[in-house]
Amino acid sequence: MSTELIEQKKNTPGRRTKYNKKVMSEICSELAIGKTIRQVLSPAVKGRPCWESFRTYLNKYPELREQYSNAKADGIEYSLCQAQELLNESL
């Protein structure tokens, strides 16, 4: 196979992910326990949309935007609690 064909296949976009409330809830649940959006939307995790698709969904579905905002706030709180525990252990 020539390099040109490999490059062509590599740059070919995949199939668009359809909006799925269950998948969006799973994503938000993972964000709520401190995972990053890059971890949650990693191509290694099957059935997850790419970042661009997820952003489109955030703009299209207000209920997802609210769920995402709440999950991010929870994730920040979770991470801060972990950091506080580590700080207390080191003192």
Side-chain angles (χ1 to χ4, degrees), residues 2-39:
S2 75
T3 307
E4 184 177 302
L5 287 176
I6 293 171
E7 288 299 317
Q8 200 172 32
K9 284 184 178 184
K10 183 178 169 183
N11 293 328
T12 304
R15 190 179 332 181
R16 287 191 63 82
T17 306
K18 291 183 181 178
Y19 183 81
N20 181 316
K21 285 185 179 184
K22 182 181 177 200
V23 171
M24 297 306 132
S25 289
E26 290 171 2
I27 289 169
C28 289
S29 292
E30 291 180 36
L31 292 171
I33 58 168
K35 287 191 177 180
T36 67
I37 194 70
R38 290 184 74 189
Q39 290 171 320

Side-chain angles (χ1 to χ4, degrees), residues 52-66:
E52 291 81 13
S53 294
F54 188 72
R55 285 189 62 229
T56 299
Y57 301 150
L58 286 175
N59 292 323
K60 188 174 181 179
Y61 301 99
E63 67 277 5
L64 177 61
R65 169 66 72 179
E66 184 176 347

Side-chain angles (χ1 to χ4, degrees), residues 10 13 49 56 69-70 76 78 84-85:
K10 183 178 169 183
T56 299
S69 295
N70 291 338
I76 290 167
Y78 183 86
Q84 184 66 46
E85 287 174 9

